[in-house]
Amino acid sequence: EWKIKNNDAKIDKLTKLIELRTAQKEKTIEEIAEVDAYMKEISAVRKDENDAFLTAKKEDQDAIDLLMAARDALSEYYKKHGVDMGPVQGSVKGLAFAQDEPEFDVSADQAPDAVFSHKG
């Protein structure tokens, strides 16, 4: 009778443990499904953003190519018709970017005037 009572208690304990593990398993399966759905969603968003980036990049590259072709066509036109190009139109490299430094009334090495209170 004692063994039966002990075995019934053990069976009840193991049954509760099985129910607990089953509930945990179901919860984990639901969480995995949520994570899978989230991953599909963010993958789609990333793909859309990447496609938009690649499209914008291609458009930018096409614009650069168009500008380069226009520059070449204008250079060829100027050469054919003997139009002299000045330093700004011809080359940025030829420009002197050395601007004069601003002139200040006070020397950069001179300290500013300071007034101290006598509270110290």
Side-chain angles (χ1 to χ4, degrees):
E1 187 175 306
W2 175 79
K3 277 190 169 186
I4 293 173
K5 193 176 188 184
N6 253 359
N7 285 340
D8 284 342
K10 199 173 202 178
I11 289 172
D12 288 341
K13 180 181 173 185
L14 292 175
T15 303
K16 288 179 184 176
L17 187 61
I18 289 172
E19 290 173 359
L20 175 68
R21 297 294 184 240
T22 303
Q24 288 176 340
K25 180 181 174 185
E26 290 172 2
K27 182 180 177 190
T28 303
I29 290 171
E30 289 175 10
E31 289 174 351
I32 289 172
E34 289 174 6
V35 169
D36 286 342
Y38 177 70
M39 286 180 61
K40 286 179 185 177
E41 179 184 337
I42 61 172
S43 294
V45 168
R46 185 191 178 290
K47 183 182 180 313
D48 292 343
E49 289 175 352
N50 190 33
D51 290 344
F53 166 75
L54 292 176
T55 301
K57 182 179 174 185
K58 183 182 180 318
E59 290 173 355
D60 289 348
Q61 190 59 47
D62 291 345
I64 290 170
D65 294 342
L66 182 64
L67 289 171
M68 296 298 279
R71 184 189 71 177
D72 293 343
L74 286 173
S75 294
E76 185 178 326
Y77 174 82
Y78 287 163
K79 285 180 185 176
K80 274 185 181 177
H81 293 85
V83 177
D84 292 331
M85 294 194 300
V88 173
Q89 291 88 1
S91 172
V92 176
K93 295 175 188 169
L95 290 177
F97 283 112
Q99 294 179 337
D100 292 335
E101 291 293 322
E103 294 182 24
F104 296 104
D105 293 335
V106 179
S107 169
D109 297 326
Q110 182 180 350
D113 293 333
V115 178
F116 297 102
S117 65
H118 299 299
K119 295 182 180 181

